Amino acid sequence: MTLFKNKYIRKLLDLYRDIWAINSAEALMGWDLDTYMPKSAHRYRGIALGRLSTLSQRLMLSEEFRKQYDKARREKNLTIEEKGVLRVLGRELHYYDSLPPNFLRELARTTTNARKSWLIAKKKKRYEKFLPSLKKIIELSRRKAELLGYKDKPYDALLDLYEEGLTTKRLEPLFRDIKHNLPRIVKKILVKRVFPMNHELESKKYNKEAMEKLSKELLKRIGYPFNRGRLDVSAHPFTIDISPNDVRITTWYPEKNFRESLLATIHEFGHALYELQISKSLSMTPIGIGVSLGIHESQSRFWENIVAKSKQFIDTNLSLFKKHLSILDQYDSFELYRYFNTVKPSLIRVKADEVTYNLHILIRFEIEKEMINKDIDPRELPVMWNEKMEKYLGITPKNDAEGILQDVHWSQGSIGYFPTYTIGTLLAAQIARKMDRQIKLYKRIEEKDYSSIRNWLRERIHRYGSIYTPERLIRIAIGQSLDPEVFMEHIRRKYLFE
Amino acid sequence: MTLFKNKYIRKLLDLYRDIWAINSAEALMGWDLDTYMPKSAHRYRGIALGRLSTLSQRLMLSEEFRKQYDKARREKNLTIEEKGVLRVLGRELHYYDSLPPNFLRELARTTTNARKSWLIAKKKKRYEKFLPSLKKIIELSRRKAELLGYKDKPYDALLDLYEEGLTTKRLEPLFRDIKHNLPRIVKKILVKRVFPMNHELESKKYNKEAMEKLSKELLKRIGYPFNRGRLDVSAHPFTIDISPNDVRITTWYPEKNFRESLLATIHEFGHALYELQISKSLSMTPIGIGVSLGIHESQSRFWENIVAKSKQFIDTNLSLFKKHLSILDQYDSFELYRYFNTVKPSLIRVKADEVTYNLHILIRFEIEKEMINKDIDPRELPVMWNEKMEKYLGITPKNDAEGILQDVHWSQGSIGYFPTYTIGTLLAAQIARKMDRQIKLYKRIEEKDYSSIRNWLRERIHRYGSIYTPERLIRIAIGQSLDPEVFMEHIRRKYLFE
């Protein structure tokens, strides 16, 4: 803690360490829940997690903690790290100061029920089953926005929860560009047919054990430190930060279409690398973690979309793939490249490719804005959804399960979350361009020199943890703000050879 | 919580649930540390565990908790469960009320250093390297005994920490019997030679994967519920209670001598079964866990020594063993029985057989008594140790590493712990006799009817958790108190056919 010299900050960080310890325990319990926990242990694990979460909240809202925070706030001449600590804690305190316990309880009750009715609605493919819950969630989200406060639009208060400082105003030009340019680009790609819509490898079965070996070998190659992490299997891939030396990832091995497994593993590697490369001097403090969902997603997408789907990556790792997967015997590097980069307008966001993905988010962004900023009737949402799908992607869902009901987010009360995915995709392209200019990214990939890439990311982004706001960090990293044109350029160059 | 009707008790249990949640987290973190945790995560895990342990202590010592406890104590007409809660919490509170924080810190510092010097001393085979630490630990243990208070002997205060209500006076007749009778029995067994000192299977290598399969199949057969637990590998076998539906065991697969692995697994099964069969109505309360180390050890030893080493068990599981272990092709059931039951006076406690084991504890009991109750010079301990080894077991250690330095306990400040092993062994034999009289234990084993055995243990012992003191629970279970003669009888009948 030598970075932190102010006595109140030091006291605050000492108090915070209990909260960090609880967070660390919760992270491990969450990991275990999805990997090794015996089946019947669910109920008790839920109770224990609930208690710990309330306990850590109580510690943060304790008089003692608040006293030190207030004292530290009045200090002059704090370092940037010390200011970062106060900024991050201030956000957390503001949340609990603004939202009364009764409101939070109502929200928790509502999302618990909404989760159930969403599952039923999705299974029965009937939006009406989810409608009452969604109505309530929209209503509570609007109240939440009012309670939290905002300068311009109510939606901004919700966006800020997932991406500090994000506003409708900042997002609008980004999505305007996507809306106006991306559908045309998609059409051109489909006409050009260099990258297919489907590939026969999508239906080829692979050997799971071989795939696991390949994944581990590849992770080692790109620099995942197995002495500070693990690769396990779970129902959905995720990354979990248990401590600065314990950031685990999981993946899945569906029956076929090995790209799905491999790219998920590399995606999670990107998340993990971020946490693993944060400066150790920030460890166990509120700023010793990744700063936002958008920045985090830029890291996972950078490794997934920019690195792993590049021609250079596939060229130089082909022999490793072939060593483990006998289904690849007949394929050359270019064919694999085409397989990794199919482009196809599809109904389901999580299955979408790099090109069409942002159109899925565009739809959600436009709907969420209306939900919160305007007085729309929620009954109209499925029609709105389907019209936008047709307009931007040229396809219409056959039912609500593959339409408006596909994502879990709204049922969890997470309105304002989706745009962080787009921030991640756009930023990944900007990082790639900057890195390419500075250290010739694609040559680095070609030479399997992943350590130069990791070092660049560490020095420019990772090491700062949450010292700066996401907006500030983007400026520091690439010297500019978010710009969708760089992403479009990446897509045009890669898929249209422009 | 329908068992608990008193309003103060209910409030107390609600407060306690936070402590339970922390305990559950610590248990999982401990399990992970020894099984799947990445290597470099040690330091941070240590910090997190330290914080959580202090936090749970703080919760228990909080004014709020104490207030409810004091109110509940003044209540009349409490149920036995409610009284049990107060008894167990009272013990914990008495510990912290008696030992000042400064003293506990000094103890923690001392044992941290002692652990290091013990490792060095053991490695260098030189007791002098450990002597200064041990001196300090003895001194602190005496102070601890004075601070905690006792009726008769200072050693009693320490014994009570591991086995509630245990005293020198209660132990003395037990060890007197062991001291006078056991060495003679051992000699007779050695002369008789039905059970060998060594067996060629001890040096036979087995296939680890096959051994793992065998262990899991055997655990299923004897009734370990894999939906409420797991079997993993660790450096030393252990059982960990994470929640009422999550009691995990670990084992080891050393290169050869498969009995070591198999019996360890079954030993841990005995511990796990105890926790798994505690009444669910006691879940998440201070009395929802096994009551003492001695009772716990009786459960593990019962399954290891009484069940798994019996002729009937080996007869009826021989085909399962043979299915997995090709090294057994040439052996019949009786030969395996001899292998499982070798008897050999040896230097190392943890490698000792069922017969000689209590002689190892006898030595430690006699030395600990002198350490605490008398003013012995710790420099004399190695000579004392070696003389007793020679006297009771007929062998003398070549050096201190295989003599007085072999166990970790004293370096951890755990003086008074060893006798619980003997309580476990003696009680296991008494449980076996009682069960045999009531439900024909050996016939049950012969018929692979393990569920009758599990049910007996649940109804008579397990379900009570910590409602009663260990002494009371023994009375309830077998209608008598600890009696070494039953153990001697078991040994004489089994090994001398008397």
Side-chain angles (χ1 to χ4, degrees), chain A residues 14 18 32 36 38 40 44-45 51 58 227 229-230 243 245-246 248 280 283, chain B residues 14 18 32 36 38 40 44-45 51 58 227 229-230 243 245-246 248 280 283:
Chain A
D14 181 57
D18 286 342
D32 183 69
Y36 295 106
S40 303
Y44 290 108
R45 178 62 51 88
R51 286 282 171 157
R58 229 160 61 213
N227 62 329
R230 299 180 48 85
S243 84
N245 276 343
D246 194 354
R248 307 181 187 186
K280 284 284 172 73
S283 287
Chain B
D14 181 57
D18 285 341
D32 183 70
Y36 294 107
S40 303
Y44 291 107
R45 179 60 53 88
R51 285 282 171 157
R58 229 160 61 212
N227 62 328
R230 299 181 46 87
S243 84
N245 275 344
D246 194 355
R248 307 181 187 187
K280 284 284 173 72
S283 287

mmCIF file of all heavy atoms in Angstrom, chain A residues 14 18 32 36 38 40 44-45 51 58 227 229-230 243 245-246 248 280 283, chain B residues 14 18 32 36 38 40 44-45 51 58 227 229-230 243 245-246 248 280 283:
data_model
loop_
_atom_site.group_PDB
_atom_site.id
_atom_site.type_symbol
_atom_site.label_atom_id
_atom_site.label_comp_id
_atom_site.label_asym_id
_atom_site.label_seq_id
_atom_site.Cartn_x
_atom_site.Cartn_y
_atom_site.Cartn_z
ATOM 1 N N ASP A 14 -7.944 -0.162 4.852
ATOM 2 C CA ASP A 14 -7.887 -1.263 5.816
ATOM 3 C C ASP A 14 -9.294 -1.782 6.092
ATOM 4 O O ASP A 14 -9.525 -2.994 6.107
ATOM 5 C CB ASP A 14 -7.218 -0.801 7.111
ATOM 6 C CG ASP A 14 -7.133 -1.946 8.115
ATOM 7 O OD1 ASP A 14 -6.547 -2.986 7.753
ATOM 8 O OD2 ASP A 14 -7.677 -1.825 9.228
ATOM 9 N N ASP A 18 -11.762 -6.007 4.493
ATOM 10 C CA ASP A 18 -12.766 -7.000 4.896
ATOM 11 C C ASP A 18 -13.767 -7.224 3.765
ATOM 12 O O ASP A 18 -14.178 -8.356 3.495
ATOM 13 C CB ASP A 18 -13.521 -6.530 6.147
ATOM 14 C CG ASP A 18 -12.667 -6.645 7.404
ATOM 15 O OD1 ASP A 18 -11.665 -7.389 7.371
ATOM 16 O OD2 ASP A 18 -12.997 -5.986 8.400
ATOM 17 N N ASP A 32 -17.347 -22.149 -7.837
ATOM 18 C CA ASP A 32 -17.602 -23.521 -7.404
ATOM 19 C C ASP A 32 -19.021 -23.955 -7.777
ATOM 20 O O ASP A 32 -19.240 -25.074 -8.248
ATOM 21 C CB ASP A 32 -17.395 -23.572 -5.883
ATOM 22 C CG ASP A 32 -17.564 -24.964 -5.308
ATOM 23 O OD1 ASP A 32 -16.714 -25.819 -5.585
ATOM 24 O OD2 ASP A 32 -18.547 -25.200 -4.581
ATOM 25 N N TYR A 36 -17.792 -27.329 -9.694
ATOM 26 C CA TYR A 36 -17.592 -28.571 -8.957
ATOM 27 C C TYR A 36 -18.593 -28.844 -7.842
ATOM 28 O O TYR A 36 -18.580 -29.920 -7.249
ATOM 29 C CB TYR A 36 -16.170 -28.611 -8.377
ATOM 30 C CG TYR A 36 -15.110 -28.660 -9.453
ATOM 31 C CD1 TYR A 36 -14.325 -27.554 -9.757
ATOM 32 C CD2 TYR A 36 -14.928 -29.828 -10.184
ATOM 33 C CE1 TYR A 36 -13.367 -27.612 -10.764
ATOM 34 C CE2 TYR A 36 -13.974 -29.897 -11.184
ATOM 35 C CZ TYR A 36 -13.198 -28.783 -11.470
ATOM 36 O OH TYR A 36 -12.265 -28.854 -12.465
ATOM 37 N N PRO A 38 -21.465 -30.048 -5.523
ATOM 38 C CA PRO A 38 -22.451 -31.138 -5.618
ATOM 39 C C PRO A 38 -23.846 -30.564 -5.839
ATOM 40 O O PRO A 38 -24.182 -29.509 -5.304
ATOM 41 C CB PRO A 38 -22.373 -31.826 -4.252
ATOM 42 C CG PRO A 38 -21.208 -31.279 -3.542
ATOM 43 C CD PRO A 38 -20.781 -30.023 -4.217
ATOM 44 N N SER A 40 -26.957 -31.103 -4.857
ATOM 45 C CA SER A 40 -27.957 -30.765 -3.833
ATOM 46 C C SER A 40 -27.541 -29.613 -2.933
ATOM 47 O O SER A 40 -28.266 -29.256 -2.008
ATOM 48 C CB SER A 40 -28.252 -31.992 -2.972
ATOM 49 O OG SER A 40 -28.674 -33.047 -3.779
ATOM 50 N N TYR A 44 -28.343 -24.158 0.188
ATOM 51 C CA TYR A 44 -27.482 -23.606 1.234
ATOM 52 C C TYR A 44 -26.463 -22.630 0.667
ATOM 53 O O TYR A 44 -26.108 -21.639 1.301
ATOM 54 C CB TYR A 44 -26.782 -24.726 2.002
ATOM 55 C CG TYR A 44 -27.717 -25.532 2.858
ATOM 56 C CD1 TYR A 44 -28.080 -26.831 2.525
ATOM 57 C CD2 TYR A 44 -28.263 -24.982 4.009
ATOM 58 C CE1 TYR A 44 -28.956 -27.570 3.309
ATOM 59 C CE2 TYR A 44 -29.141 -25.706 4.804
ATOM 60 C CZ TYR A 44 -29.483 -27.004 4.454
ATOM 61 O OH TYR A 44 -30.347 -27.707 5.233
ATOM 62 N N ARG A 45 -25.965 -22.925 -0.536
ATOM 63 C CA ARG A 45 -25.011 -21.999 -1.154
ATOM 64 C C ARG A 45 -25.686 -20.648 -1.387
ATOM 65 O O ARG A 45 -25.091 -19.589 -1.167
ATOM 66 C CB ARG A 45 -24.478 -22.588 -2.475
ATOM 67 C CG ARG A 45 -23.498 -21.696 -3.251
ATOM 68 C CD ARG A 45 -22.215 -21.377 -2.487
ATOM 69 N NE ARG A 45 -21.559 -22.534 -1.951
ATOM 70 C CZ ARG A 45 -20.663 -23.269 -2.598
ATOM 71 N NH1 ARG A 45 -20.303 -22.964 -3.811
ATOM 72 N NH2 ARG A 45 -20.094 -24.316 -2.017
ATOM 73 N N ARG A 51 -26.236 -14.013 2.591
ATOM 74 C CA ARG A 51 -25.755 -13.451 3.850
ATOM 75 C C ARG A 51 -24.472 -12.655 3.666
ATOM 76 O O ARG A 51 -24.290 -11.580 4.227
ATOM 77 C CB ARG A 51 -25.503 -14.588 4.851
ATOM 78 C CG ARG A 51 -26.775 -15.168 5.412
ATOM 79 C CD ARG A 51 -27.302 -14.234 6.479
ATOM 80 N NE ARG A 51 -28.633 -14.606 6.939
ATOM 81 C CZ ARG A 51 -29.123 -14.254 8.129
ATOM 82 N NH1 ARG A 51 -28.375 -13.550 8.960
ATOM 83 N NH2 ARG A 51 -30.330 -14.595 8.469
ATOM 84 N N ARG A 58 -23.364 -4.078 4.567
ATOM 85 C CA ARG A 58 -23.441 -3.486 5.900
ATOM 86 C C ARG A 58 -22.110 -2.875 6.317
ATOM 87 O O ARG A 58 -22.060 -1.828 6.948
ATOM 88 C CB ARG A 58 -23.838 -4.584 6.900
ATOM 89 C CG ARG A 58 -24.972 -4.168 7.814
ATOM 90 C CD ARG A 58 -25.658 -5.349 8.432
ATOM 91 N NE ARG A 58 -24.793 -6.167 9.266
ATOM 92 C CZ ARG A 58 -24.919 -7.486 9.400
ATOM 93 N NH1 ARG A 58 -25.867 -8.135 8.743
ATOM 94 N NH2 ARG A 58 -24.101 -8.167 10.183
ATOM 95 N N ASN A 227 -0.367 -20.881 -13.272
ATOM 96 C CA ASN A 227 -0.078 -20.800 -11.830
ATOM 97 C C ASN A 227 -0.908 -19.699 -11.164
ATOM 98 O O ASN A 227 -0.903 -19.548 -9.956
ATOM 99 C CB ASN A 227 1.413 -20.552 -11.582
ATOM 100 C CG ASN A 227 1.872 -19.236 -12.182
ATOM 101 O OD1 ASN A 227 1.333 -18.799 -13.215
ATOM 102 N ND2 ASN A 227 2.837 -18.579 -11.568
ATOM 103 N N GLY A 229 -4.254 -19.177 -12.437
ATOM 104 C CA GLY A 229 -5.596 -19.365 -12.951
ATOM 105 C C GLY A 229 -5.852 -20.806 -13.314
ATOM 106 O O GLY A 229 -4.994 -21.677 -13.120
ATOM 107 N N ARG A 230 -7.042 -21.088 -13.828
ATOM 108 C CA ARG A 230 -7.431 -22.430 -14.211
ATOM 109 C C ARG A 230 -8.369 -22.352 -15.414
ATOM 110 O O ARG A 230 -8.990 -21.336 -15.664
ATOM 111 C CB ARG A 230 -8.222 -23.130 -13.097
ATOM 112 C CG ARG A 230 -7.526 -23.324 -11.791
ATOM 113 C CD ARG A 230 -8.464 -24.041 -10.805
ATOM 114 N NE ARG A 230 -9.076 -25.190 -11.427
ATOM 115 C CZ ARG A 230 -8.511 -26.402 -11.492
ATOM 116 N NH1 ARG A 230 -7.333 -26.600 -10.917
ATOM 117 N NH2 ARG A 230 -9.123 -27.386 -12.092
ATOM 118 N N SER A 243 -8.728 -13.466 -6.769
ATOM 119 C CA SER A 243 -7.705 -12.600 -6.162
ATOM 120 C C SER A 243 -6.736 -12.212 -7.277
ATOM 121 O O SER A 243 -6.801 -12.765 -8.376
ATOM 122 C CB SER A 243 -6.972 -13.322 -5.025
ATOM 123 O OG SER A 243 -5.914 -14.118 -5.519
ATOM 124 N N ASN A 245 -3.925 -13.038 -7.890
ATOM 125 C CA ASN A 245 -3.205 -14.191 -8.413
ATOM 126 C C ASN A 245 -4.111 -15.396 -8.639
ATOM 127 O O ASN A 245 -3.658 -16.544 -8.597
ATOM 128 C CB ASN A 245 -2.063 -14.585 -7.473
ATOM 129 C CG ASN A 245 -0.824 -13.765 -7.731
ATOM 130 O OD1 ASN A 245 -0.707 -13.132 -8.789
ATOM 131 N ND2 ASN A 245 0.097 -13.761 -6.785
ATOM 132 N N ASP A 246 -5.371 -15.144 -8.847
ATOM 133 C CA ASP A 246 -6.314 -16.250 -8.998
ATOM 134 C C ASP A 246 -7.499 -15.796 -9.846
ATOM 135 O O ASP A 246 -8.558 -15.455 -9.324
ATOM 136 C CB ASP A 246 -6.770 -16.723 -7.616
ATOM 137 C CG ASP A 246 -7.475 -18.074 -7.660
ATOM 138 O OD1 ASP A 246 -7.716 -18.584 -8.771
ATOM 139 O OD2 ASP A 246 -7.781 -18.612 -6.574
ATOM 140 N N ARG A 248 -9.757 -17.173 -12.749
ATOM 141 C CA ARG A 248 -10.071 -18.429 -13.433
ATOM 142 C C ARG A 248 -11.003 -18.221 -14.611
ATOM 143 O O ARG A 248 -11.853 -17.337 -14.582
ATOM 144 C CB ARG A 248 -10.713 -19.409 -12.437
ATOM 145 C CG ARG A 248 -9.868 -19.581 -11.201
ATOM 146 C CD ARG A 248 -10.449 -20.568 -10.202
ATOM 147 N NE ARG A 248 -9.640 -20.527 -8.990
ATOM 148 C CZ ARG A 248 -9.796 -21.332 -7.954
ATOM 149 N NH1 ARG A 248 -10.730 -22.261 -7.982
ATOM 150 N NH2 ARG A 248 -9.018 -21.217 -6.898
ATOM 151 N N LYS A 280 -0.052 -4.600 -9.191
ATOM 152 C CA LYS A 280 -0.191 -5.235 -7.877
ATOM 153 C C LYS A 280 -0.266 -4.200 -6.755
ATOM 154 O O LYS A 280 -0.741 -4.500 -5.671
ATOM 155 C CB LYS A 280 0.997 -6.182 -7.624
ATOM 156 C CG LYS A 280 0.914 -7.491 -8.391
ATOM 157 C CD LYS A 280 -0.096 -8.453 -7.774
ATOM 158 C CE LYS A 280 -0.329 -9.682 -8.618
ATOM 159 N NZ LYS A 280 0.784 -10.640 -8.612
ATOM 160 N N SER A 283 -3.738 -3.923 -5.523
ATOM 161 C CA SER A 283 -4.382 -5.152 -5.049
ATOM 162 C C SER A 283 -5.233 -4.940 -3.799
ATOM 163 O O SER A 283 -4.832 -4.232 -2.880
ATOM 164 C CB SER A 283 -3.322 -6.207 -4.691
ATOM 165 O OG SER A 283 -2.745 -6.715 -5.853
ATOM 166 N N ASP B 14 -30.510 -15.939 14.151
ATOM 167 C CA ASP B 14 -30.483 -15.113 12.955
ATOM 168 C C ASP B 14 -29.137 -14.393 12.861
ATOM 169 O O ASP B 14 -28.509 -14.358 11.794
ATOM 170 C CB ASP B 14 -31.631 -14.105 12.962
ATOM 171 C CG ASP B 14 -31.617 -13.261 11.705
ATOM 172 O OD1 ASP B 14 -31.664 -13.855 10.607
ATOM 173 O OD2 ASP B 14 -31.531 -12.024 11.802
ATOM 174 N N ASP B 18 -24.976 -15.229 9.922
ATOM 175 C CA ASP B 18 -23.865 -14.551 9.239
ATOM 176 C C ASP B 18 -22.549 -15.271 9.524
ATOM 177 O O ASP B 18 -21.700 -15.425 8.649
ATOM 178 C CB ASP B 18 -23.744 -13.096 9.713
ATOM 179 C CG ASP B 18 -24.847 -12.219 9.123
ATOM 180 O OD1 ASP B 18 -25.460 -12.623 8.113
ATOM 181 O OD2 ASP B 18 -25.088 -11.135 9.681
ATOM 182 N N ASP B 32 -10.581 -25.617 -1.430
ATOM 183 C CA ASP B 32 -10.008 -25.182 -2.711
ATOM 184 C C ASP B 32 -8.485 -25.068 -2.608
ATOM 185 O O ASP B 32 -7.754 -25.485 -3.503
ATOM 186 C CB ASP B 32 -10.639 -23.838 -3.068
ATOM 187 C CG ASP B 32 -10.177 -23.301 -4.414
ATOM 188 O OD1 ASP B 32 -10.560 -23.893 -5.431
ATOM 189 O OD2 ASP B 32 -9.458 -22.291 -4.449
ATOM 190 N N TYR B 36 -7.804 -27.454 -5.830
ATOM 191 C CA TYR B 36 -7.770 -26.899 -7.184
ATOM 192 C C TYR B 36 -7.138 -25.514 -7.311
ATOM 193 O O TYR B 36 -6.968 -25.019 -8.410
ATOM 194 C CB TYR B 36 -9.201 -26.865 -7.749
ATOM 195 C CG TYR B 36 -9.777 -28.245 -7.952
ATOM 196 C CD1 TYR B 36 -10.754 -28.756 -7.116
ATOM 197 C CD2 TYR B 36 -9.306 -29.049 -8.979
ATOM 198 C CE1 TYR B 36 -11.271 -30.036 -7.298
ATOM 199 C CE2 TYR B 36 -9.811 -30.322 -9.172
ATOM 200 C CZ TYR B 36 -10.794 -30.809 -8.328
ATOM 201 O OH TYR B 36 -11.285 -32.070 -8.529
ATOM 202 N N PRO B 38 -4.892 -22.394 -7.934
ATOM 203 C CA PRO B 38 -3.614 -22.200 -8.623
ATOM 204 C C PRO B 38 -2.499 -21.899 -7.602
ATOM 205 O O PRO B 38 -2.746 -21.251 -6.588
ATOM 206 C CB PRO B 38 -3.851 -20.979 -9.513
ATOM 207 C CG PRO B 38 -5.303 -20.705 -9.489
ATOM 208 C CD PRO B 38 -5.906 -21.403 -8.327
ATOM 209 N N SER B 40 0.119 -19.926 -7.302
ATOM 210 C CA SER B 40 0.565 -18.606 -6.843
ATOM 211 C C SER B 40 -0.481 -17.842 -6.039
ATOM 212 O O SER B 40 -0.245 -16.717 -5.625
ATOM 213 C CB SER B 40 0.992 -17.761 -8.042
ATOM 214 O OG SER B 40 2.009 -18.427 -8.756
ATOM 215 N N TYR B 44 -2.632 -14.382 -1.212
ATOM 216 C CA TYR B 44 -3.921 -13.673 -1.136
ATOM 217 C C TYR B 44 -4.994 -14.508 -0.447
ATOM 218 O O TYR B 44 -5.825 -13.984 0.283
ATOM 219 C CB TYR B 44 -4.386 -13.249 -2.527
ATOM 220 C CG TYR B 44 -3.532 -12.157 -3.132
ATOM 221 C CD1 TYR B 44 -2.653 -12.424 -4.170
ATOM 222 C CD2 TYR B 44 -3.596 -10.858 -2.643
ATOM 223 C CE1 TYR B 44 -1.864 -11.427 -4.725
ATOM 224 C CE2 TYR B 44 -2.811 -9.852 -3.185
ATOM 225 C CZ TYR B 44 -1.948 -10.135 -4.224
ATOM 226 O OH TYR B 44 -1.179 -9.153 -4.761
ATOM 227 N N ARG B 45 -4.960 -15.814 -0.675
ATOM 228 C CA ARG B 45 -5.921 -16.678 0.005
ATOM 229 C C ARG B 45 -5.726 -16.588 1.507
ATOM 230 O O ARG B 45 -6.686 -16.553 2.283
ATOM 231 C CB ARG B 45 -5.774 -18.122 -0.494
ATOM 232 C CG ARG B 45 -6.707 -19.149 0.135
ATOM 233 C CD ARG B 45 -8.177 -18.867 -0.069
ATOM 234 N NE ARG B 45 -8.552 -18.655 -1.455
ATOM 235 C CZ ARG B 45 -8.897 -19.596 -2.327
ATOM 236 N NH1 ARG B 45 -8.959 -20.859 -1.937
ATOM 237 N NH2 ARG B 45 -9.209 -19.306 -3.563
ATOM 238 N N ARG B 51 -8.793 -12.349 7.232
ATOM 239 C CA ARG B 51 -9.808 -11.312 7.395
ATOM 240 C C ARG B 51 -11.163 -11.892 7.782
ATOM 241 O O ARG B 51 -11.861 -11.381 8.652
ATOM 242 C CB ARG B 51 -9.950 -10.527 6.083
ATOM 243 C CG ARG B 51 -8.792 -9.582 5.846
ATOM 244 C CD ARG B 51 -8.992 -8.349 6.705
ATOM 245 N NE ARG B 51 -7.814 -7.491 6.697
ATOM 246 C CZ ARG B 51 -7.870 -6.197 6.976
ATOM 247 N NH1 ARG B 51 -9.015 -5.626 7.259
ATOM 248 N NH2 ARG B 51 -6.775 -5.488 6.980
ATOM 249 N N ARG B 58 -15.402 -11.027 15.312
ATOM 250 C CA ARG B 58 -15.940 -9.713 15.669
ATOM 251 C C ARG B 58 -17.468 -9.749 15.769
ATOM 252 O O ARG B 58 -18.060 -9.130 16.646
ATOM 253 C CB ARG B 58 -15.524 -8.696 14.612
ATOM 254 C CG ARG B 58 -14.942 -7.432 15.191
ATOM 255 C CD ARG B 58 -14.116 -6.676 14.171
ATOM 256 N NE ARG B 58 -14.866 -6.250 13.017
ATOM 257 C CZ ARG B 58 -14.346 -6.151 11.782
ATOM 258 N NH1 ARG B 58 -13.077 -6.483 11.569
ATOM 259 N NH2 ARG B 58 -15.071 -5.743 10.776
ATOM 260 N N ASN B 227 -24.347 -36.588 -4.608
ATOM 261 C CA ASN B 227 -25.068 -35.333 -4.854
ATOM 262 C C ASN B 227 -24.930 -34.375 -3.674
ATOM 263 O O ASN B 227 -25.364 -33.236 -3.737
ATOM 264 C CB ASN B 227 -26.561 -35.611 -5.117
ATOM 265 C CG ASN B 227 -27.228 -36.263 -3.925
ATOM 266 O OD1 ASN B 227 -26.583 -37.012 -3.190
ATOM 267 N ND2 ASN B 227 -28.499 -35.988 -3.709
ATOM 268 N N GLY B 229 -21.750 -34.349 -1.941
ATOM 269 C CA GLY B 229 -20.335 -34.361 -1.609
ATOM 270 C C GLY B 229 -19.482 -34.686 -2.808
ATOM 271 O O GLY B 229 -20.002 -34.870 -3.918
ATOM 272 N N ARG B 230 -18.173 -34.751 -2.628
ATOM 273 C CA ARG B 230 -17.249 -35.043 -3.703
ATOM 274 C C ARG B 230 -16.072 -35.852 -3.147
ATOM 275 O O ARG B 230 -15.782 -35.817 -1.965
ATOM 276 C CB ARG B 230 -16.650 -33.765 -4.295
ATOM 277 C CG ARG B 230 -17.615 -32.784 -4.897
ATOM 278 C CD ARG B 230 -16.846 -31.578 -5.474
ATOM 279 N NE ARG B 230 -15.705 -32.003 -6.248
ATOM 280 C CZ ARG B 230 -15.742 -32.316 -7.542
ATOM 281 N NH1 ARG B 230 -16.870 -32.210 -8.190
ATOM 282 N NH2 ARG B 230 -14.657 -32.717 -8.171
ATOM 283 N N SER B 243 -21.547 -27.198 3.842
ATOM 284 C CA SER B 243 -22.936 -26.941 4.242
ATOM 285 C C SER B 243 -23.578 -28.305 4.494
ATOM 286 O O SER B 243 -22.994 -29.336 4.174
ATOM 287 C CB SER B 243 -23.691 -26.166 3.153
ATOM 288 O OG SER B 243 -24.187 -27.050 2.161
ATOM 289 N N ASN B 245 -25.589 -29.900 2.952
ATOM 290 C CA ASN B 245 -25.672 -30.709 1.736
ATOM 291 C C ASN B 245 -24.380 -30.668 0.926
ATOM 292 O O ASN B 245 -24.397 -30.856 -0.295
ATOM 293 C CB ASN B 245 -26.845 -30.236 0.866
ATOM 294 C CG ASN B 245 -28.143 -30.887 1.296
ATOM 295 O OD1 ASN B 245 -28.136 -31.883 2.024
ATOM 296 N ND2 ASN B 245 -29.256 -30.339 0.843
ATOM 297 N N ASP B 246 -23.282 -30.391 1.580
ATOM 298 C CA ASP B 246 -22.011 -30.267 0.868
ATOM 299 C C ASP B 246 -20.859 -30.622 1.806
ATOM 300 O O ASP B 246 -20.214 -29.744 2.357
ATOM 301 C CB ASP B 246 -21.877 -28.839 0.321
ATOM 302 C CG ASP B 246 -20.771 -28.700 -0.705
ATOM 303 O OD1 ASP B 246 -20.035 -29.681 -0.925
ATOM 304 O OD2 ASP B 246 -20.628 -27.600 -1.287
ATOM 305 N N ARG B 248 -17.482 -32.618 1.693
ATOM 306 C CA ARG B 248 -16.566 -33.213 0.717
ATOM 307 C C ARG B 248 -15.438 -33.973 1.398
ATOM 308 O O ARG B 248 -15.014 -33.610 2.490
ATOM 309 C CB ARG B 248 -15.973 -32.110 -0.164
ATOM 310 C CG ARG B 248 -17.045 -31.257 -0.785
ATOM 311 C CD ARG B 248 -16.488 -30.160 -1.679
ATOM 312 N NE ARG B 248 -17.593 -29.296 -2.092
ATOM 313 C CZ ARG B 248 -17.503 -28.320 -2.983
ATOM 314 N NH1 ARG B 248 -16.338 -28.060 -3.571
ATOM 315 N NH2 ARG B 248 -18.555 -27.594 -3.293
ATOM 316 N N LYS B 280 -31.533 -32.078 9.874
ATOM 317 C CA LYS B 280 -31.598 -30.834 9.108
ATOM 318 C C LYS B 280 -32.231 -29.702 9.917
ATOM 319 O O LYS B 280 -32.053 -28.527 9.595
ATOM 320 C CB LYS B 280 -32.391 -31.042 7.815
ATOM 321 C CG LYS B 280 -31.632 -31.792 6.732
ATOM 322 C CD LYS B 280 -30.595 -30.916 6.042
ATOM 323 C CE LYS B 280 -29.700 -31.669 5.084
ATOM 324 N NZ LYS B 280 -30.370 -32.088 3.858
ATOM 325 N N SER B 283 -29.654 -27.311 11.032
ATOM 326 C CA SER B 283 -28.807 -26.694 10.008
ATOM 327 C C SER B 283 -28.519 -25.218 10.264
ATOM 328 O O SER B 283 -29.424 -24.481 10.649
ATOM 329 C CB SER B 283 -29.490 -26.790 8.643
ATOM 330 O OG SER B 283 -29.446 -28.099 8.174
#
